[in-house]
Amino acid sequence: MAGKIGDILVEKKLVTQAQLAEALAIQDKDHLFLGTILLSKGWVKPDQLLPLMGEHYHLPWIRLRDVQVSKKAVAEVPSKIALHYRIMPITLENSTLTVAIANPQDVRVVDEVRVALKQRYRIEPIIATEEDIQEALKQAYGFGADTVSDILIDRQKNGSGAEVIDDRIEDIEKLAEDASVVKLVNQLILEAHNRRATDIHLEPYRGKVRLRYRIDGLLHGVDVPAAIRSLFPAIISRVKVISNLNIVERRLPQDGRASVKIGDQKIDLRVAVLPTPAGESIVIRILPNQMLMDLKELGFRPEDLAGLLRVVQKPHGLIFVTGPTGSGKTTTLYACLKTINTEERKIITVEDPIEYELDGATQVQIKPQIGLSFAEALRSLLRHDPDVMMVGEVRDLETVELTVRIALTGHLVFSTLHTNDAISALVRLMDMGVDPYLIASSVECIIGQRLVRLLCTACRVKGSDGTYQRGPGCDSCTHTGFRGRTAIYEFLFLNQAIRNLILQKAPLDQIRKKAAETGMRTMREDGMDRVKAGLTTVDEIIRVTQEDE
């Protein structure tokens, strides 16, 4: 039968004879359904394969992602049955249960499911893709339901019960290394990576656990099986083990790092654990180490890029990047350093934490618990004869004064400030106690930035005004209408007019007006250019810049 469907595909020129031969070889080796192999290879599309399969096997077919699944049907099929047979309950009407199957050749599935459900229902199969079924199972039964079920069944067989909340050290260590728990944590990280998440949030509450992924800057909830609550200490312990944290310590916050490999890509993880009354809450930041970009790739206007390239080639001065947490400041800083990272320059960074490895630069992680603060590190690093320094963040008067004086003594220095926009950084520095003369003498450029979500190019729609609008959502963007992010910027290059106003302690509005007269454009203006280019929406620009009004 598999050969026949394959021959039809070749006859209709949907696949080549060579592709069919390769797929059949994989089928013989891995015992997978031919259609699943062809779809995974991308040789046919679901909308091409499903109708043909439906006609060939005399069964109806659906794109499961477009169907509203009946909660009643899901409630009648236990997760262990649905996950074991890889079927997705769709509807339950009278005594007929409609289930989606990916492999219509496996005639045993329908009979075995009927028996497993104690012959209460007549089973009606309908064809869907394996990928759609797997995604629907996650939505219906929760992320990792199959692995959680396997763990609990295994523990019940061994007589240890389902509950694994245990304070004994030896049990915690054993659970952290359990193969099923290792698999569950790996699934958690892989799923986040596949969804393009930057952060994983695991939060315990009384009687439940919440899992959320941060995708394109916003948090999205992920359904998890209720039984995962009993496994939560084991999950936390496993994450602690891979990030070299103390698995016994549950009273204090802990920070750690880990590296995992997904395919050919190495992924760095930054782990933060926080004690709560319901257990330890954990956040895992995903840091792909290929994130080092060139300045030309960051989307600067040509005139801003030219100005920045001119500034970063100077032998001394201070360059600030401003914006809230998660606005891409580190990416911009590293792009600047990458541009000037040559054999002739000694580059030293002081960071908390070190997010990316920069080959050719000496990078120092501060450790306040042993007295290595930003200020203390800066004093020591000057004796290492640097040409360029990066200070991860100036948080206090001592650090900012040292940073300014280093810039005034023949060094090029990069740093960040948490302010709403570029011009506000000047006021922030004065509020911290820095003399206006030092600011005017040292600062060369201040960059303000935000990250905005990009419209999904697969489903965006054109509005009546000619600009693109957010679409209805599709598989490509996980039905959000957005896919990916880009930065919007504003550049304040300090010319003599701006320096004079700083020396006079002029009001912020006066400095802002003078900056506009000399060509500075705001982040909102930069954002509206992205709207005109069809990259994002007006609402998105207003959302990220409204605090600057």
Side-chain angles (χ1 to χ4, degrees):
M1 188 78 71
K4 290 181 180 178
I5 191 76
D7 293 338
I8 295 171
L9 288 164
V10 172
E11 183 183 327
K12 291 183 176 291
K13 297 183 177 179
L14 293 175
V15 298
T16 65
Q17 192 68 52
Q19 288 171 335
L20 176 60
E22 184 178 337
L24 289 172
I26 295 172
Q27 185 183 47
D28 289 340
K29 178 186 174 186
D30 298 335
H31 307 291
L32 298 172
F33 177 52
L34 182 66
T36 298
I37 297 168
L38 295 171
L39 287 170
S40 67
K41 290 284 188 180
W43 290 336
V44 293
K45 296 179 180 178
D47 292 338
Q48 295 173 321
L49 182 64
L50 288 173
L52 193 149
M53 287 174 54
E55 181 181 349
H56 185 72
Y57 292 104
H58 306 291
L59 289 173
W61 62 273
I62 56 169
R63 284 308 310 270
L64 191 49
R65 300 181 182 195
D66 301 328
V67 173
Q68 183 70 38
V69 173
S70 164
K71 292 183 179 179
K72 182 181 177 183
V74 172
E76 288 299 309
V77 182
S79 62
K80 62 182 179 181
I81 293 176
L83 294 163
H84 176 74
Y85 291 104
R86 289 188 294 183
I87 63 163
M88 182 62 211
I90 306 297
T91 60
L92 177 59
E93 295 181 2
N94 299 322
S95 296
T96 300
L97 177 68
T98 302
V99 300
I101 62 172
N103 184 359
Q105 289 179 284
D106 193 348
V107 294
R108 302 170 303 161
V109 168
V110 171
D111 290 335
E112 290 182 12
V113 169
R114 184 169 60 247
V115 171
L117 294 176
K118 301 179 180 178
Q119 300 185 349
R120 296 196 306 271
Y121 307 111
R122 175 173 172 267
I123 308 299
E124 282 284 344
I126 187 168
I127 301 173
T129 67
E130 177 89 23
E131 183 183 2
D132 282 1
I133 290 173
Q134 292 291 355
E135 187 60 33
L137 287 171
K138 287 179 191 174
Q139 296 294 327
Y141 295 101
F143 167 81
D146 51 345
T147 307
V148 171
S149 177
D150 290 344
I151 295 172
L152 298 183
I153 290 172
D154 183 60
R155 289 185 62 79
Q156 287 168 348
K157 284 180 180 177
N158 295 331
S160 56
E163 191 72 14
V164 297
I165 297 178
D166 200 323
D167 286 338
R168 288 178 298 178
I169 295 172
E170 62 271 22
D171 285 350
I172 294 172
E173 291 175 338
K174 191 183 299 180
L175 287 171
E177 298 297 341
D178 183 273
S180 296
V181 174
V182 171
K183 178 184 175 184
L184 185 59
V185 172
N186 290 345
Q187 284 179 330
L188 183 78
I189 297 168
L190 179 60
E191 179 75 4
H193 175 73
N194 290 340
R195 292 196 186 195
R196 302 178 295 106
T198 55
D199 300 86
I200 304 168
H201 292 246
L202 270 167
E203 304 153 325
Y205 298 93
R206 187 181 297 275
K208 69 174 184 178
V209 168
R210 181 162 69 168
L211 169 62
R212 293 187 289 175
Y213 293 143
R214 188 175 295 281
I215 304 170
D216 295 334
L218 298 181
L219 285 170
H220 297 265
V222 179
D223 291 330
V224 293
I228 205 171
R229 180 64 181 94
S230 64
L231 300 173
F232 192 68
I235 294 169
I236 295 296
S237 296
R238 176 59 192 166
V239 175
K240 284 183 173 182
V241 166
I242 64 174
S243 50
N244 296 312
L245 297 179
N246 185 348
I247 65 172
V248 182
E249 178 56 72
R250 304 178 202 169
R251 303 162 301 166
L252 298 172
Q254 296 189 68
D255 296 312
R257 297 180 73 94
S259 292
V260 296
K261 195 171 183 182
I262 298 178
D264 295 330
Q265 187 176 6
K266 181 185 173 186
I267 305 294
D268 290 330
L269 307 176
R270 199 171 81 207
V271 178
V273 182
L274 193 66
T276 76
E280 290 176 294
S281 179
I282 196 162
V283 174
I284 304 171
R285 171 154 290 188
I286 301 172
L287 300 167
N289 51 16
Q290 310 64 331
M291 282 295 289
L292 292 182
M293 301 174 73
D294 291 320
L295 284 176
K296 294 177 182 177
E297 299 173 335
L298 295 183
F300 297 142
R301 290 191 311 149
E303 51 269 47
D304 290 333
L305 176 59
L308 182 58
L309 288 173
R310 185 178 64 253
V311 168
V312 299
Q313 294 297 337
K314 288 188 174 185
H316 55 80
L318 184 52
I319 299 168
F320 280 111
V321 183
T322 73
T325 301
S327 60
K329 298 189 298 295
T330 302
T331 300
T332 301
L333 284 175
Y334 273 91
C336 290
L337 292 178
K338 184 179 178 182
T339 300
I340 57 175
N341 187 10
T342 63
E343 190 73 25
E344 296 79 24
R345 290 188 178 94
K346 170 83 169 184
I347 299 176
I348 301 181
T349 74
V350 189
E351 305 172 67
D352 182 28
I354 297 172
E355 294 196 8
Y356 308 117
E357 292 180 10
L358 181 60
D359 188 37
T362 301
Q363 296 175 271
V364 178
Q365 165 75 53
I366 73 160
K367 296 178 181 178
Q369 63 271 25
I370 60 171
L372 184 58
S373 63
F374 276 113
E376 192 60 38
L378 285 173
R379 290 191 188 93
S380 299
L381 297 183
L382 278 175
R383 292 191 287 273
H384 286 258
D385 189 29
D387 297 294
V388 180
M389 297 185 69
M390 184 183 89
V391 183
E393 182 185 348
V394 288
R395 302 173 179 172
D396 52 60
L397 177 59
E398 184 181 18
T399 304
V400 74
E401 281 192 334
L402 276 169
T403 302
V404 168
R405 294 187 185 282
I406 290 169
L408 287 172
T409 54
H411 302 84
L412 184 63
V413 185
F414 297 85
S415 192
T416 69
L417 274 172
H418 287 279
T419 62
N420 288 339
D421 56 30
I423 294 176
S424 297
L426 299 173
V427 176
R428 171 70 176 142
L429 290 170
M430 290 186 219
D431 287 345
M432 292 173 74
V434 183
D435 190 290
Y437 169 75
L438 294 176
I439 298 172
S441 303
S442 62
V443 178
E444 294 288 341
C445 174
I446 303 175
I447 307 169
Q449 66 181 76
R450 294 283 192 286
L451 292 177
V452 297
R453 293 179 294 170
L454 292 168
L455 286 170
C456 173
T457 55
C459 67
R460 65 182 182 179
V461 294
K462 209 163 193 176
S464 56
D465 59 355
T467 63
Y468 282 100
Q469 307 293 324
R470 181 179 181 177
C474 64
D475 293 346
S476 178
C477 60
T478 59
H479 302 277
T480 62
F482 294 98
R483 181 179 173 86
R485 289 190 293 175
T486 190
I488 56 174
Y489 303 94
E490 61 184 22
F491 282 78
L492 175 63
F493 295 105
L494 271 70
N495 53 33
Q496 194 54 51
I498 299 292
R499 296 184 199 279
N500 289 338
L501 290 175
I502 294 171
L503 291 171
Q504 297 165 19
K505 297 185 181 180
L508 194 63
D509 288 345
Q510 194 173 339
I511 298 175
R512 198 184 304 276
K513 182 179 178 182
K514 178 58 70 175
E517 290 174 1
T518 55
M520 178 182 171
R521 297 170 79 254
T522 65
M523 277 185 281
R524 178 165 291 189
E525 290 171 325
D526 189 38
M528 289 307 174
D529 286 345
R530 312 300 170 103
V531 173
K532 292 174 186 175
L535 298 177
T536 188
T537 67
V538 173
D539 288 344
E540 181 69 4
I541 298 302
I542 292 173
R543 179 182 72 84
V544 300
T545 61
Q546 60 185 348
E547 61 193 279
D548 303 329
E549 293 179 338

